[in-house]
Amino acid sequence: MQDFLADLNLTQREAATTIDGALLILAGAGSGKTKTITTRLAYLIDAVGIPPSNTLTLTFTNKAASEMQKRALNMIQSTTIHPPLLCTFHKFGLLFLKFYITHLGRKVNFILADSEDTKRIVKELNGDLAPLPLILSEISRYKNSQISIDEALKFAHNDTYKHIAKVYGKYQEFLLQKNMVDFDDLLLLPLEIMQQNKEIAREVSEKYQYIMVDEYQDTNHLQYLLLKCLCSAHQNLCVVGDDDQSIYSWRGANIQNILQFSEHFKGAKVIKLQENYRSTHTILQAANALIAHNKQRLGKTLISTLGEGKNIEIFHSSDEQEEVQNITKAIRRLLDSNVSPKDIAILFRLNALSRSLEEGFNRAKIPYVLVGAIRFYERSEIKDVLSYLRVLVNLEDDFSLARIINKPKRGIGKTTLEKVLRLAQEHKSSVYGLFKDSLKDGILKGAMSKKTYESFQAFFSTMLSLQESLKQSSLSFIEAFEEKIGFCEALSQSNDAIDRVSNVEEFYGVYREYVKQNPLMELEDFLNDLALRSDQEDVEMRTQSKGVEGVSCMSVHSSKGLEFDYVFIIGLEEGFFPLVREDSNVEEERRLGYVAFTRAKKELFLSYVDSRFYRGNRASLLPSRFLNESGVCETRMPFKEEAIRDSNMGFKKGDCVMYKIFGAGRILEVSKIGKEVKLKINFGGLIREILGSYVSKI
């Protein structure tokens, strides 16, 4: 035990050995937070003697959970049959629902709808009457705000939101009918169960007596409420995070969770990790100076353990073409001095800025990797295979059946399929239920041709046969699947056969590896793990030629959690970084800048231009205020802070405000939460407490 504590500095050791009560570890970038919390978990189990099954560690990605578990188990000397539970919030919600969803009158064999499933369902229900991204975001917002269908309908303030509320109702009805849950349900439903059944909340809280949460600054309101329920029997909650790296408000993260931790959990201790093991003093000096301009922060100063380092280099170019020339010359110098391209990154606030980079790198013959959001598990052919596997798990899954019943082609047309699905719905059954019910079988025969009927029969016969193959051997099942379905053979007839077949074969490999690593897990577990992974972290690297190592080009959001020896940040102009638009917040933009700066280990390069071509127009631009605020150079012209909305607008009782979901309302009460404003608002009879940053004055 003493060995692994010896690797920690004094504040890290204090954090790792503070066990009882609420604890906030305020961990700056590069301060060794993962080492600290994995050591704390090992200390809890090995030194204090807490049974691993009484601990729960929650993260935001499966990769982080896996890495933390591996590190912690390597330190734990005592052998145990039950390892500590480290998983994402959503995975925990899934496990919870497997035990308790019956308390909502729901069946335990529910299907987890991934993000692509949700898009497909909502698209069908919408009928192109409103923008799909808007509907998806608003349904998610309703769920994360615990807004019922009735409330959404009653307080919809215009025709668009009335339509969205109706789609929300139909969507929820569809999920119930098909026994499906979506990602938001993995947080919402466990919370509803624990809020409605205090004894369950206490039972779960007593089981998990010591709880840790990584990246706490990224939690939303539902996750905060879940943690309150999980801590109903104790206050042993340790959260780790950095308020200065809270950059996900657009997907619901609430920075107030970390800023107000000591108020939410009374008597909480705060320990700051400020020694940075990643970046030079020069880089941290600029990052510290930049973030110090934020008002909503707990406050800390990163201290480098690596020495002074080289000066930050500034590129001032006339336009994006000259910018790329300057950057490619600098990168070529690095490559010529034997720097590996994988140790270099270019970061930008807007993905659109990557176009000129790609063109410039192609001309300069510099290998690059564009980190984007093309997701392997969202590819059409992979979704088809996943749908087959879902039907194998549950033959009554008509949602998945509809996708693959004619893939490969079986002569079952769209009209026939719709007729069969409608018949199943009318008889409160599934399609498979109709086929296996001898009394209803005649109905189906009358709804289709003999050939089509035989195709359906052959399909279900094949699926039943594959279920038997699965029972006999999980590992050899995939060979039986390909032999009976002929998926790759069918794909080989398509125009892009090579890529699509190789994608399916790669997926088969993923399945085989999963079975080898998890011999006791079932097909349903594999599908659920993939559904969670595909939504959160399955980002594929795109290169011009596969297997080539290249300079990483990515958005600042994508870079969080990564580090590179050499980092170039482009587009440092007012309007681009910081981004200026209606819902921009200068403090979050500054936090993005802080995240970008602290990705660099050895050298940092900052670039800005006088003009940039964007959305069909060329615009003259001012240098970013961040260049001035970080102390790296004096910019030519002053800029107005009010160009971007500050989250602390002046509100008073009686003001009329507009909220995106409920429309117009009147403020009944104004209170402060730290440096933020909390408003109690009357929306025509519906009273809601909402942070000031989410509303605007009328």
Side-chain angles (χ1 to χ4, degrees), residues 232-436:
S232 58
H234 59 78
Q235 288 283 290
N236 300 326
L237 173 65
C238 168
V239 303
V240 188
D242 184 1
D243 54 331
D244 292 333
Q245 295 188 73
S246 180
I247 59 173
Y248 295 116
S249 66
W250 50 274
R251 69 181 189 197
N254 185 358
I255 193 174
Q256 296 303 320
N257 288 350
I258 191 167
L259 294 179
Q260 300 304 312
F261 182 79
S262 296
E263 292 181 27
H264 294 158
F265 299 91
K266 299 300 179 186
K269 183 175 183 177
V270 179
I271 297 174
K272 298 180 181 181
L273 304 185
Q274 300 179 102
E275 287 184 60
N276 177 284
Y277 297 89
R278 177 191 298 160
S279 308
T280 64
H281 170 73
T282 303
I283 293 168
L284 294 185
Q285 190 176 34
N288 286 331
L290 174 64
I291 202 65
H293 286 78
N294 271 7
K295 297 170 186 174
Q296 286 199 75
R297 63 189 298 257
L298 296 169
K300 65 182 179 313
T301 302
L302 293 178
I303 303 161
S304 176
T305 60
L306 302 178
E308 191 71 19
K310 291 188 177 180
N311 289 335
I312 294 170
E313 191 168 342
I314 309 295
F315 294 123
H316 176 197
S317 310
S318 59
D319 58 21
E320 68 273 14
Q321 299 301 325
E322 186 183 340
E323 178 180 57
V324 172
Q325 288 173 12
N326 289 332
I327 288 171
T328 53
K329 284 177 186 175
I331 290 175
R332 179 55 65 193
R333 284 196 299 271
L334 291 173
L335 296 177
D336 290 344
S337 63
N338 294 322
V339 171
S340 171
K342 67 181 175 58
D343 293 327
I344 305 170
I346 301 187
L347 309 183
F348 34 79
R349 176 66 180 88
L350 287 174
N351 285 313
L353 299 194
S354 68
R355 181 189 57 80
S356 58
L357 283 176
E358 291 185 74
E359 292 173 356
F361 284 162
N362 287 333
R363 284 194 299 270
K365 293 183 169 49
I366 291 175
Y368 67 92
V369 178
L370 188 63
V371 181
I374 298 176
R375 301 181 185 278
F376 178 76
Y377 295 101
E378 291 177 2
R379 294 180 184 276
S380 175
E381 60 272 19
I382 302 303
K383 289 294 292 181
D384 289 342
V385 179
L386 286 170
S387 294
Y388 264 104
L389 299 184
R390 281 159 65 158
V391 173
L392 274 171
V393 168
N394 179 9
L395 288 172
E396 301 196 353
D397 178 5
D398 284 350
F399 178 75
S400 300
L401 175 80
R403 182 181 181 100
I404 48 89
I405 191 63
N406 205 37
K407 293 179 181 178
K409 292 190 181 300
R410 297 184 177 88
I412 300 172
K414 185 180 178 183
T415 305
T416 302
L417 177 60
E418 288 174 352
K419 191 187 295 182
V420 172
L421 290 170
R422 193 163 53 248
L423 278 171
Q425 196 168 356
E426 286 170 3
H427 288 84
K428 293 184 169 58
S429 173
S430 64
V431 174
Y432 176 66
L434 291 181
F435 269 90
K436 69 178 183 177

Side-chain angles (χ1 to χ4, degrees), residues 467-672:
Q467 284 184 336
E468 289 303 313
S469 299
L470 187 59
K471 288 176 186 175
Q472 290 169 19
S473 170
S474 295
L475 196 56
S476 61
F477 153 74
I478 211 73
E479 281 72 27
F481 175 81
E482 179 54 40
E483 182 185 334
K484 290 182 184 294
I485 302 300
F487 211 82
C488 287
E489 184 184 346
L491 285 175
S492 65
Q493 310 303 316
S494 62
N495 294 331
D496 48 356
I498 295 174
D499 282 343
R500 298 186 74 190
V501 170
S502 64
N503 286 337
V504 172
E505 287 175 343
E506 184 179 341
F507 175 80
Y508 289 164
V510 170
Y511 172 81
R512 291 189 192 98
E513 188 62 28
Y514 182 89
V515 173
K516 287 176 186 175
Q517 298 291 330
N518 307 276
L520 300 178
M521 301 293 261
E522 297 183 355
L523 181 57
E524 183 180 4
D525 300 308
F526 171 70
L527 292 173
N528 285 336
D529 282 354
L530 283 191
L532 290 170
R533 178 183 174 188
S534 68
D535 185 64
Q536 295 174 333
E537 55 193 316
D538 174 40
V539 176
E540 182 183 348
M541 299 282 193
R542 275 200 293 129
T543 62
Q544 288 181 292
S545 119
K546 289 186 179 179
V548 174
E549 272 190 356
V551 175
S552 296
C553 304
M554 68 186 80
S555 70
V556 180
H557 281 101
S558 297
S559 75
K560 184 156 182 297
L562 303 177
E563 56 185 46
F564 301 89
D565 287 347
Y566 305 90
V567 170
F568 295 76
I569 304 173
I570 69 167
L572 279 162
E573 303 100 29
E574 286 293 299
F576 283 90
F577 200 3
L579 188 64
V580 176
R581 60 187 184 194
E582 185 184 345
D583 57 348
S584 295
N585 181 304
V586 69
E587 297 219 343
E588 181 149 332
E589 290 295 309
R590 203 174 275 120
R591 291 194 291 270
L592 270 168
Y594 175 81
V595 166
F597 280 32
T598 55
R599 298 312 94 197
K601 296 164 70 176
K602 293 181 178 178
E603 289 188 54
L604 178 62
F605 306 82
L606 307 178
S607 173
Y608 70 98
V609 298
D610 294 329
S611 79
R612 194 176 290 280
F613 191 77
Y614 180 64
R615 289 185 176 177
N617 294 299
R618 178 160 297 282
S620 296
L621 302 167
L622 294 175
S624 170
R625 68 188 72 188
F626 295 166
L627 294 166
N628 201 3
E629 291 176 350
S630 60
V632 297
C633 71
E634 288 187 15
T635 49
R636 295 171 302 156
M637 293 180 66
F639 24 72
K640 295 181 179 179
E641 186 75 10
E642 59 269 21
I644 302 179
R645 180 169 60 92
D646 197 309
S647 59
N648 282 323
M649 296 173 68
F651 294 104
K652 64 181 184 296
K653 184 177 177 180
D655 281 352
C656 286
V657 292
M658 179 64 72
Y659 181 42
K660 195 172 183 181
I661 295 175
F662 298 134
R666 190 173 294 279
I667 297 175
L668 302 177
E669 189 179 301
V670 181
S671 57
K672 291 282 279 185

